[in-house]
Structure formats: structure tokens, C-alpha cells
Amino acid sequence: MTTDPNRIQPSELDQLPDRDPEETAEWQASLDAVAKAAGPHRAAYLMRRTLERAEGAGLALPKLLETDYVNTIPTAAEAAYGFDGDEAMEAKITAWNRWNAAAMVSRGAKYGVGGHIATFASAAWLYETGFNHFFRGKEGDGSGDQLYIQGHASPGIYARAFLDGRLTEQHLDNFRQESGGNGLPSYPHPRRLPWLWEFPTVSMGLGPLSAIYQARFNRYLTNRNIKDVSNSHVWAFLGDGEMDEPESTAALALAAREELDNLTFVINCNLQRLDGPVRANFKIVQELEAQFRGAGWNVVKSLWGTAWDELFQLDTTGALVRRLREVPDAQIQTYQTRDAAYIREDFFGKEPALVEMAKLLSDDKIIECFHHSRGGHESRKVFAAYKAALSHKGAPTVILAQTVKGFTLGKGFESKNANHQMKKLSVEEFKDMRDLLGLPIPDSAFVDGQVPYGHPGADSPEVRYLQERRAALGGPAPARRVHPVAPLPAPADKAFAAFDKGSGSQSVATTMAFVRLMKDLIRDKETGKRWVPIVPDEARTFGMESLFPSLGIYSPKGQTYEPVDRDQLMYYREAKNGQILNEGITEAGSMADFIAASTAYSTHGEPMIPFYIFYSMFGWQRTADQMWQLGDQLGRGFLVGATAGRTTLTGEGLQHADGHSPVIAATNPAALTYDPAFAYEVAVIVKEGLRRMYGETAPGEDQNVFYYLTVYNEPMPQPAKPEGVDEGIIKGLYRFKEGTAPAADAPRIQLLSSGTAIHWALQAQELLAAEWGVTADVWSATSWSELRRDALEADAALLRGEERVPYVRQALADAPGPVLAVTDYMRQVPDQIAQWVEQDYSSLGADGFGLSDTREAARRHFGVDAQSIVVAALAQLAKRGEVPASVVKDARERYGL
């Protein structure tokens, strides 16, 4: 058989014996002849017809999107990938890391803090091979590679950091015991261990999604000439069970479409999820292969170890490959735990050819193959897979590496359905593991039944090898670095001051005010290029289409077509260096974009200023888990919930009516949530946000926060900015309009309102004075949650013996009468501050489901319109005996309530 000199990559079929090479060559020659005589399309057509005929005839062929259940890279081709390490030394290093990972979790078990052992045990070589040969550190270009570590594998990463001297035994003994300030978080949590972890991944599904958008954002930075990070590679380590999460596969097509060959997924296919087999009756590897191939990814399967080579050489009829293709995952797991006799009968006994093959195999050989020999457990096979991934151009790569969950932990762990919940080994099991790994740990080291940590010594050959490898690759990994970057210069005041005079008679929605502010800030010569506008396909809804021609929409392809609106002023312009990330209908993808941009100050030493604008109802409600991820990853930027409120989005109905996003936002410690009523408030909040996150900070002030602003689509006249209100806007409350007393002894009430609700409060102020003789002061509560946060801090200070009065109490100290709070959200939003208000306190809000109607009708339905506020205010005053009770009834009847 002649070898085709044009075929660069080896075929997985090369490892299967060909019983008639001449016949194979004839078929190949026929195909070549058709292609030459009739063209490649005719050849492709005939091949498809032949495959259809084969399928119709019942021939056992893999589906077009699948290959056989064998390795993509045959053993004979591994040498071509140039493994350059010391296998024996790397095996010793991996053994120490396996031991210490298991010891750390087992030692902590006596405190009941838990931990996971089996995941790293299965994936050890997947990580160690990368750390020894591939993962670039940050000491070179400041970026290095980005590593998304599987959350349950964290003990193994800590073990390696212990071996290389970055962690001590005390650290390991404080695994999952953080309250003392010197502990290790359970999973990759940058906020808890910011010098080590870069990316939080244990909320399953978010790691793969974020990895794709991180790789994409790397290209964005390079294409926009912010920083050349073309050498950075994103590695995402995932579990096969994790791939069931919809977020795990949500952006596969994006990665392929944009040819993100700077991205590699490594899926640890140990065939087990948390409770048992991943695809008990099916094959998860084949399913994932088809899914990724269908999405346009390059797929590399590393399933079987070298011990299987002999079996494949004996497979002259293809019976072995057919059998591997049909055995379901759960049965593969069963073979892992059963003896050779069972495997002979159940696996080999199904077909005469396999029965004959089994006669040539010893029991030891069968046990070696079915119990131990997996592609993910051999450094050379993992190395070849990684090298193939980096060599492949034009598409991302997924490596499907088959392993055994709990590998090397003994019969009590390996492939057991319950091993995810098993937290410790007995002393005897540890001794068996020690002997298996060949570690020089004497029995005398086990004191009082406690397993010891193991370390070969700071100057040992193992540690020197490890450190030399990391030095050659650019320093330790994983590692998070915050590069010393000068604060960004503040934009000129002109952009913010433009809103101080108000809009006169012109009605302007706060959404439009925010977009106008962004346009001005993006023009700033110093910082304008650092803004990253993100929108999930409704830029026109938010009035952002004017940014299309000026900033461009990012596309790595540029614009390969003539846009239909090219002759218009605000035409749809895509560009390779475009600044806008217009993501399509994917809030999850947009949030992943935001996270990548908001942490670029650490990942790449380039502070970027993302603002992500979205329907407020489809933000926190849909992607709150990613907001937690954002806070954990110490991201900075502006989230903007537009078309906010339960009654402002006319006609859209229940699912579009946001009455609760500030409640969800208030649960996130990193989120600073504001509900501005006026354009000048938006400007003050954004200016303060830029200072706090990107400028000069005050002592003890946390920069690692993000802002959530709710803005509205209801056009209203924007008032001029009163004097001296900036502090109140930032802290969350100030008196916007003092009431004029109709009489010297007129009853008085304080109306606190936020967002669009302030307009109803102002109407109610007029009605109370004109029709009921009541004076009302109207306050703008720009942030209920910041008022609450300040009050909680004041309470904590009091417990420490410090005298401190909450700001909300200070602001309302001289405000007479009861307090009535009103918002376009559920009452839980303003009720956040109730316990710190000394006056009688009540609230109005839009509780319940939304509905389709006019704004006026919706507000009457929820009881938050001006007339409803008047009745509620009178009721509060009647309780205090300041107005007759009959007045409340009269008001209800007058307003038809």
C-alpha cells in the first residue's frame, strides 16, 4: 500500500490491521481517479451515496459526525509530536501530587468540611502534562495562558502549589477553613485566593461558556490594537457530566464560526457524574464527538492506553472495534470493577472472533486493559493530544480523554458510583496507595491514625525539575496577577456636566440619557478606546444604532457584504477592529463577554470599561449565577438594566415586566445597585463609578465592585441638577423637592421614591397640597441597597464599640411626619431600609406578576400611581390622628380607588 504524501495527520484507522491493503489501495485509487476526472464535488457525491447505501444495508458504520471508539492519534504516531520530558521524573511528581491531594481532603474530613478526591485522581495526568509542557505563565508577556480548572480538581492544584513551595502544610490543613484568614477555598475562588485563582468554575457550565468568550475577547483585544495577546491560549478543563449544562455547549458554534484556535477544551471522560454513569445506556464520548464536530470543532479522542495496542493488532475482522462501539458507558464502568473471567464472558463472548482473540490474552493483560489502560492516564498520549490541539489552525479543539474516576485510590474508590461523595481513605488504603505510587513514606509517619503529607524536599530533583519546567514556560501557574497600572485619567467634566441644566421642555428617557453619556465618554481621547459596549441584539431598542457607523460592531471577519442600509447615516457597520460587542440573542453570552472585559485589568494588565445594557427583566433573573461569577472573579464595569420597572414597558406583559431585579442585585456583595430618577443622577453615578473602579481610590475602598443601574424607557422632562446633591446621589438618598405648606399647621409627610416613581410622587405632592392641605417632601432614593449596606456597616461598627449613625437616619433626622416609600418594584426593594428609619414607615410597590396595559392602567392596578400615593399618605396621617379617618374614604371615592 502506498502512503499518500499529502496526508499530514495520521488516521485513527492506521492503528487497525488492514487484512487486504491492496484492495484498500484500489478503492482509494478509484476515489482519486473520480476526483481527477470529474472533480471533487462528484467524488464527494459518490462517497455520500456509498455511505447511504451502507447505512441502508445495515453495515455497522459510525455516523458521519462520529469516528470509531478508538484514539484519534495512534500509538505509532505519538513520537511525531515530540515528547521532550522525563517520564520517570514526571511520574514521581504526579505521585506526590496525587498523595497530597488525597491527604489534604482526608485530614480535613475529621472537621466535617468535606472535599473531593476522585476527580483529580482521574485527571491528574491531564493537568500535570499541561503544567510540565504547555501552560504558559504570566512572567513573560504578562498574560500567559488562561486556565479554567475543573472545580472539583482543586485539591490537586493545591498539592502542586505545595510541592513547588507556594503553599505550606498549614495552608493544606486549612483547606475549606477560611474564616481565620489563612485558609484555602474549596474551589477556584479568585476573591478568596486572589494570587492563585483567576477564574471561578465550580458553578458548572459557566467555565466552558466563559472560556469561549475569554478566547474571543483575547482576539478582540488583539484586533483592536489594545494589546497583542495572540500567544495566549485558553484551556478549559471540564467534566463529561458537566456538558449536560446548557451553558456548556451554548457557544460552541460561536467558537467555531470565529475560528478560535486559541481555545482548547479538555473533557475528562471518566464516564461518571455525581451520582453514577454519565450516559449509562449510551456513550458520552461519541455523543460529545458528534456534538462538537457538528458545531465545527476539531475533535481529538484519547481513549485507550498503550496496553490496548496488542488487542487492536489482533482485530483483523473489526470485531473489537464494533464491540467497543456498542458497549454502553455503564458496562465499561462495570468492567473496571470485575475480574477477567467476567470480562471474557461478557465482553469477548459476544462474537466468535472475539472469543478467539480472548484466548490469546492472559488474565493479567485483560485486567491491565480494562482496569488501568486509559488514554487520559498516559503522559505521552496526553502530550500528543495537546500538541495536536495547538497545531490545529482554523478551529477550536476539544480533547475527549477517557479516564477512571478515583484512579490509584484503590478498589474502594475506582469507578464506584458513590466516589464523588467519598471524602477520605483509611490508613490501610493510604498505605496501599503509597505502595502503588512508589512513594518513600514509612509506616512510622502515620501518627495516631493520621495520614502525613509528603514532600521530597525543596532541593529535590522532583522540585527542581518542576520549577525548571515552569520557569521555561513563564512562571508559576495557575496564578492571578494585578499588574501595577496607573489609575485611568478621569474623563473631562464636560460629558457629565451636560446633564446639569436638564432638558427643558424636551422629554428624555433615562435610557437615552445613559446612551448619550456613553457616546460622549467613548469620544474621550484618553480612555475612550477602553470602553466595551455590550448589547444582546437590541441596540436599536436602546437607541444605540448611532454607534454602529462610528464605533463599528466587532467581527473577526470584518464586513464581507454590503449592508442593506449602507446609504443611511446610521448604517450597520461591522469591522475587525469594531468596538461594540453585539452578541445576538444571548444574555448568557453577553455576560460572559462582560466578565472577560471586566477582568482584563488582571488577565492582561489592560483595564477595560465594559457596559452591558439589556432588558432589565432578562438580566439578573436569567443570569444571576454569572453575576456571582463576576463578583468572585473581581470584575469591574457597568451593568445597565434598561426598560426597567414593572409598569414602564407598555404592552409587553408578564415576562417583560421587571419588578424585582434590584432585589436580586441586592443579594450580591460586589454589586452597587442604583435606580436613578433623572439624567443628572445617571451622570453622577457613572462618574463616581469610574473613579472608584478605575481611578484614585480612598484608603480601604474596594475597587473590585461593579455597578448595576436601572434606566427607563419613559420619556420625561429632565430637571436641572440642584446644588449640593452629589453626596446624596452616591450614598443613596437626598431631598429633591421640599413641599410648600398650604397652612402653618398643615400635616407633613415624607415621600421617598426611586427611578420613574419619583414622577408619581411629585404629582402626589401637588395633589396632597392642593386638594387635602397636606405638605409632602419628595426624596430621590437613588439606591435602597446602598442605604442598607451603609446601615449594616453602622450596626457592625456599634458592636465594635464605635459610634456611627446610618446615613439614612442622618438624612431623615429633621424630616417631620411619617415616611412613605414608593417604587416601580416590589415593596421588598424600599423595605430594605425600614428598620433604620425612625419615623413611621410604610411602602408601596408593584408586587405580583406584570401585565399588559397602558402605563396609567398598570400603575392604577398595582396601586402606585399618584392618586394611590395620595390615599396611602392620608391613611398614614390618619393613623397618627393628623387627619380625620373620613378623609381617606373621601379620597378613595374621589379617585375611584
Side-chain angles (χ1 to χ4, degrees):
M1 176 180 175
T2 58
T3 301
D4 181 0
N6 296 318
R7 193 177 70 191
I8 300 173
Q9 294 291 336
S11 168
E12 57 265 32
L13 296 177
D14 288 347
Q15 63 196 297
L16 308 179
D18 189 347
R19 66 181 182 183
D20 193 344
E22 292 184 4
E23 182 183 36
T24 303
E26 290 173 3
W27 277 78
Q28 291 173 332
S30 298
L31 180 63
D32 292 341
V34 171
K36 183 177 181 180
H41 295 293
R42 178 61 181 170
Y45 175 81
L46 291 176
M47 285 298 301
R48 291 179 62 189
R49 281 295 194 186
T50 302
L51 288 170
E52 288 174 357
R53 175 60 64 89
E55 184 177 358
L59 299 184
L61 288 174
K63 296 178 182 177
L64 287 175
L65 292 176
E66 297 179 11
T67 61
D68 280 319
Y69 203 66
V70 296
N71 296 346
T72 302
I73 303 169
T75 301
E78 289 169 7
Y81 290 98
F83 182 84
D84 59 353
D86 183 333
E87 287 185 271
M89 184 62 68
E90 292 180 19
K92 291 179 182 179
I93 292 171
T94 304
W96 286 116
N97 292 338
R98 286 182 182 278
W99 177 271
N100 288 319
M104 171 176 35
V105 175
S106 292
R107 287 166 68 110
K110 67 181 180 181
Y111 301 110
V113 294
H116 299 287
I117 304 177
T119 295
F120 178 73
S122 69
W125 277 114
L126 302 179
Y127 291 107
E128 294 297 325
T129 304
F131 286 128
N132 288 329
H133 299 278
F134 293 96
F135 304 157
R136 295 171 60 254
K138 290 182 173 291
E139 293 176 1
D141 59 8
S143 295
D145 288 352
Q146 288 78 58
L147 309 180
Y148 288 76
I149 305 294
Q150 192 177 2
H152 294 131
S154 61
I157 308 304
Y158 291 139
R160 193 171 218 275
F162 170 64
L163 198 65
D164 72 12
R166 293 195 290 164
L167 292 176
T168 65
E169 286 193 14
Q170 183 184 6
H171 286 118
L172 300 191
D173 270 344
N174 284 335
F175 175 58
R176 291 194 168 195
Q177 299 175 68
E178 300 178 78
S179 58
N182 195 33
L184 299 180
S186 52
Y187 303 123
H189 290 304
R191 186 169 287 274
R192 291 299 183 209
L193 201 63
W195 61 268
L196 180 73
W197 297 121
E198 263 197 298
F199 307 107
T201 55
V202 83
S203 188
M204 293 190 189
L206 300 190
L209 179 67
S210 294
I212 290 173
Y213 280 90
Q214 182 65 57
R216 197 281 193 97
F217 192 74
N218 289 355
R219 290 281 173 84
Y220 173 89
L221 288 176
T222 300
N223 288 335
R224 287 198 55 220
N225 296 316
I226 301 292
K227 181 180 181 181
D228 184 356
V229 295
S230 54
N231 287 330
S232 289
H233 198 84
V234 178
W235 301 82
F237 289 84
L238 317 168
D240 46 2
E242 181 180 4
M243 300 311 293
D244 284 346
E245 290 284 5
E247 294 89 350
S248 295
T249 54
L252 297 187
L254 166 73
R257 184 170 64 245
E258 299 204 359
E259 300 178 356
L260 298 180
D261 49 26
N262 60 339
L263 170 68
T264 297
F265 276 14
V266 181
I267 302 182
N268 179 17
C269 298
N270 56 36
L271 312 186
Q272 284 185 249
R273 49 190 179 196
L274 308 188
D275 285 332
V278 178
R279 287 290 181 274
N281 296 298
F282 306 94
K283 301 186 80 64
I284 184 61
V285 168
Q286 300 300 85
E287 177 185 321
L288 291 174
E289 179 184 30
Q291 192 169 15
F292 278 87
R293 284 190 190 279
W297 286 54
N298 176 46
V299 178
V300 176
K301 295 196 293 191
S302 184
L303 307 181
W304 307 113
T306 306
W308 282 82
D309 289 351
E310 180 182 340
L311 276 68
F312 288 126
Q313 287 298 316
L314 295 173
D315 186 26
T316 58
T317 65
L320 175 63
V321 173
R322 287 195 299 272
R323 182 67 178 137
L324 288 174
R325 192 163 59 233
E326 69 188 20
V327 175
D329 283 353
Q331 194 63 20
I332 293 286
Q333 297 296 84
T334 298
Y335 296 148
Q336 172 69 30
T337 63
R338 303 301 289 270
D339 59 20
Y342 177 88
I343 298 171
R344 285 182 186 278
E345 179 181 352
D346 192 86
F347 182 85
F348 292 99
K350 301 299 183 182
E351 191 171 333
L354 292 178
V355 172
E356 294 303 313
M357 179 188 294
K359 292 178 181 179
L360 303 175
L361 304 174
S362 67
D363 285 356
D364 288 344
K365 183 66 176 181
I366 290 175
I367 293 299
E368 181 186 12
C369 288
F370 285 84
H371 284 203
H372 309 300
S373 188
R374 300 288 187 275
H377 294 324
E378 295 188 11
S379 58
R380 281 185 174 269
K381 293 193 179 298
V382 175
F383 182 95
Y386 287 3
K387 197 72 177 288
L390 292 179
S391 300
H392 188 83
K393 301 302 177 185
T397 294
V398 59
I399 295 169
L400 303 175
Q402 187 160 270
T403 67
V404 175
K405 192 166 186 179
F407 191 63
T408 74
L409 296 180
K411 295 180 179 179
F413 265 84
E414 293 182 351
S415 292
K416 298 296 186 183
N417 282 341
N419 61 20
H420 188 77
Q421 283 72 38
M422 297 163 70
K423 311 300 181 187
K424 61 181 179 180
L425 284 75
S426 68
V427 169
E428 292 307 313
E429 287 173 324
F430 264 111
K431 290 179 179 179
D432 289 342
M433 181 183 178
R434 172 200 62 189
D435 296 341
L436 175 65
L437 297 175
L439 293 173
I441 300 174
D443 287 353
S444 59
F446 293 81
V447 179
D448 297 328
Q450 178 161 273
V451 58
Y453 294 120
H455 199 291
D459 195 40
S460 64
E462 293 94 325
V463 173
R464 288 201 307 270
Y465 182 91
L466 182 156
Q467 292 176 341
E468 288 168 1
R469 283 280 166 180
R470 289 312 315 158
L473 287 166
R480 180 180 180 272
R481 297 284 185 269
V482 178
H483 307 274
V485 177
L488 294 181
D493 278 341
K494 180 180 179 182
F496 304 105
F499 299 92
D500 290 354
K501 295 181 180 179
S503 64
S505 60
Q506 182 183 7
S507 292
V508 177
T510 51
T511 298
M512 295 298 100
F514 176 82
V515 171
R516 177 185 164 188
L517 176 62
M518 289 303 105
K519 290 178 183 176
D520 291 341
L521 293 175
I522 291 171
R523 293 192 188 103
D524 184 82
K525 292 182 179 179
E526 294 289 335
T527 60
K529 69 178 183 178
R530 297 194 176 275
W531 284 91
V532 183
I534 304 168
V535 60
D537 200 41
E538 292 226 49
R540 297 180 193 276
T541 299
F542 308 133
M544 294 174 61
E545 63 269 30
S546 62
L547 299 178
F548 290 169
S550 59
L551 301 183
I553 299 164
Y554 172 74
S555 171
K557 298 289 187 182
Q559 193 154 38
T560 60
Y561 60 92
E562 184 176 356
V564 67
D565 53 1
R566 183 64 179 84
D567 57 343
Q568 297 180 15
L569 182 63
M570 293 185 288
Y571 70 97
Y572 195 84
R573 184 175 76 89
E574 296 187 80
K576 189 173 182 179
N577 64 346
Q579 193 164 351
I580 302 169
L581 293 174
N582 191 327
E583 287 307 335
I585 304 174
T586 168
E587 288 84 5
S590 299
M591 266 307 303
D593 260 337
F594 186 90
I595 292 169
S598 71
T599 54
Y601 74 92
S602 171
T603 309
H604 296 298
E606 293 289 344
M608 304 298 287
I609 313 172
F611 74 88
Y612 164 36
I613 187 167
F614 51 89
Y615 265 93
S616 64
M617 184 63 167
F618 305 135
W620 287 85
Q621 170 171 297
R622 184 167 289 185
T623 57
D625 196 14
Q626 288 177 284
M627 274 75 163
W628 275 101
Q629 179 189 10
L630 167 65
D632 191 352
Q633 202 166 318
L634 291 81
R636 306 168 185 172
F638 296 94
L639 298 175
V640 184
T643 58
R646 183 146 278 165
T647 70
T648 60
L649 196 56
T650 56
E652 293 286 351
L654 184 152
Q655 284 191 315
H656 282 61
D658 172 23
H660 54 276
S661 71
V663 176
I664 307 175
T667 65
N668 191 309
L672 278 60
T673 303
Y674 285 88
D675 186 27
F678 305 121
Y680 68 79
E681 293 179 352
V682 172
V684 169
I685 294 164
V686 170
K687 182 179 181 180
E688 169 64 9
L690 289 173
R691 180 204 66 80
R692 177 163 178 178
M693 294 185 290
Y694 300 95
E696 296 287 351
T697 56
E701 197 171 36
D702 186 6
Q703 277 190 288
N704 299 315
V705 296
F706 60 92
Y707 282 68
Y708 175 54
L709 280 70
T710 46
V711 292
Y712 298 83
N713 70 327
E714 185 173 12
M716 301 293 288
Q718 295 296 325
K721 177 182 173 182
E723 291 291 330
V725 298
D726 285 27
E727 181 184 21
I729 292 172
I730 294 165
K731 290 189 172 181
L733 183 68
Y734 69 97
R735 181 156 39 202
F736 171 72
K737 186 175 183 181
E738 189 172 356
T740 303
D745 59 348
R748 199 172 193 105
I749 191 169
Q750 307 300 316
L751 301 180
L752 277 57
S753 53
S754 67
T756 196
I758 201 168
H759 300 289
W760 325 327
L762 290 168
Q763 295 172 33
Q765 181 187 47
E766 296 178 0
L767 291 173
L768 283 166
E771 300 183 9
W772 306 101
V774 172
T775 303
D777 297 332
V778 175
W779 298 69
S780 179
T782 52
S783 180
W784 307 99
S785 63
E786 284 304 289
L787 292 173
R788 175 179 175 80
R789 182 171 295 171
D790 170 81
L792 289 171
E793 291 172 358
D795 286 355
L798 285 173
L799 293 176
R800 296 192 299 267
E802 303 171 19
E803 289 296 326
R804 182 172 165 190
V805 179
Y807 174 79
V808 64
R809 190 169 293 166
Q810 295 178 44
L812 294 172
D814 300 322
V819 170
L820 175 62
V822 58
T823 76
D824 202 17
Y825 300 94
M826 58 197 303
R827 291 173 60 183
Q828 192 172 338
V829 174
D831 286 351
Q832 292 179 81
I833 66 169
Q835 72 183 82
W836 294 281
V837 176
E838 293 180 315
Q839 295 90 335
D840 293 337
Y841 187 90
S842 61
S843 62
L844 295 175
D847 284 77
F849 289 113
L851 76 168
S852 299
D853 215 314
T854 64
R855 292 186 178 117
E856 293 76 14
R859 287 162 189 166
R860 176 56 60 91
H861 170 81
F862 287 111
V864 293
D865 61 350
Q867 292 78 13
S868 298
I869 295 173
V870 169
V871 172
L874 293 173
Q876 285 299 99
L877 293 169
K879 276 186 187 179
R880 297 160 56 94
E882 296 184 35
V883 300
S886 59
V887 170
V888 181
K889 179 183 177 183
D890 293 344
R892 281 201 305 268
E893 292 176 351
R894 178 180 300 187
Y895 300 135
L897 296 176

